[in-house]
Amino acid sequence: MSSNLERQANAEPVSAAPSHVPNHVAFIMDGNGRWASSRGLPRTEGHRQGLEALRKIIRHAALRGVGIVTIYSFSTENWSRPEPEVRFLMGLLRRFVQRDLSELHRENIRIRIIGERDNLDAGILKLLLDAEELTRNNTGMELVVAFNYGARQELTAAVKKLCEKVARGEIEPSAISESHISAELDTVGLPDPDLIVRTSGELRLSNFLLWQAAYTEFYFSDLMWPDFDEAALDQALECFGNRDRRYGGVTAQAL
């Protein structure tokens, strides 16, 4: 299904630099399986090619001046996929960290992991923690990896933490504000995403950053994730740069 948004973006040539590069871009990397199936390949090959696309996008985003990239790498719902596919994805994660971590570190990229860590495989958890620790003091672009992440679970956990604080007498229920909720989320300390990009023509958030996306701009691409390249990212950034972000208000020109 083709979105009006992308048709409008395709109608205009992409300039060398968008008028406004978003500070925080989040990606829902969708379509790996369908990319493979359409070529008569196993779904695992789609995930493999999706990882190659991710490598390109991370580095191109850094070159374009994006400050934070968040990737929806593995959701809490993804555990319901066939066991061989889940096992392959875990192996792909290991290979990504083992192959790319030292290079990302050299490029001054800081890695942060968000998502539920309880009950994770000990080896996977150590891999994630080691990546965070190695790059903790880097000052370049921040790569936020949403792994075993679900926004409803994140919000539920935040509510529980606030209830516990109320029970201990640390805060009055009437005093709870948006900032208190934000402080209990996995993304505490991070600015909300300016732009969420979803590939494969799907037009939904799929339990991703529900609280944080209140005023986020969206860009939906019909490309499957393995085909989403540097030019496609440039087009998304160009489209964002042409948006008028009003945050519920009006611009002076509209008065």
Side-chain angles (χ1 to χ4, degrees), residues 162 165 171 175-185 188-189 211:
L162 286 171
K165 289 184 176 181
I171 186 172
I176 294 174
S177 65
E178 290 185 10
S179 62
H180 287 99
I181 296 172
S182 294
E184 301 297 344
L185 299 178
V188 58
W211 175 272

Side-chain angles (χ1 to χ4, degrees), residues 206-217:
S206 296
N207 202 20
F208 183 52
L209 301 178
L210 298 179
W211 175 272
Q212 299 87 341
Y215 283 100
T216 296
E217 298 293 323

Side-chain angles (χ1 to χ4, degrees), residues 62 93 145 149 221 247:
L93 173 65
V145 181
Y149 174 87
S221 172
Y247 299 96

Side-chain angles (χ1 to χ4, degrees), residues 207-251:
N207 202 20
F208 183 52
L209 301 178
L210 298 179
W211 175 272
Q212 299 87 341
Y215 283 100
T216 296
E217 298 293 323
F218 295 92
Y219 182 88
F220 299 104
S221 172
D222 288 336
L223 293 173
M224 300 298 172
W225 177 252
D227 291 328
F228 194 85
D229 57 11
E230 295 92 337
L233 177 56
D234 283 341
Q235 196 160 49
L237 298 180
E238 175 73 9
C239 186
F240 174 86
N242 292 326
R243 304 279 183 88
D244 181 15
R245 304 186 74 195
R246 296 184 296 276
Y247 299 96
V250 294
T251 60

Side-chain angles (χ1 to χ4, degrees), residues 149-206:
Y149 174 87
R152 286 184 173 180
Q153 292 84 341
E154 176 188 35
L155 286 164
T156 300
V159 170
K160 288 179 179 178
K161 291 174 186 176
L162 286 171
C163 288
E164 290 167 359
K165 289 184 176 181
V166 169
R168 293 193 298 265
E170 297 175 13
I171 186 172
E172 291 294 324
S174 60
I176 294 174
S177 65
E178 290 185 10
S179 62
H180 287 99
I181 296 172
S182 294
E184 301 297 344
L185 299 178
D186 294 353
T187 53
V188 58
L190 288 172
D192 292 339
D194 301 293
L195 175 67
I196 290 179
V197 175
R198 180 166 189 156
T199 56
S200 85
E202 301 292 349
L203 309 177
R204 57 180 179 270
L205 275 174
S206 296

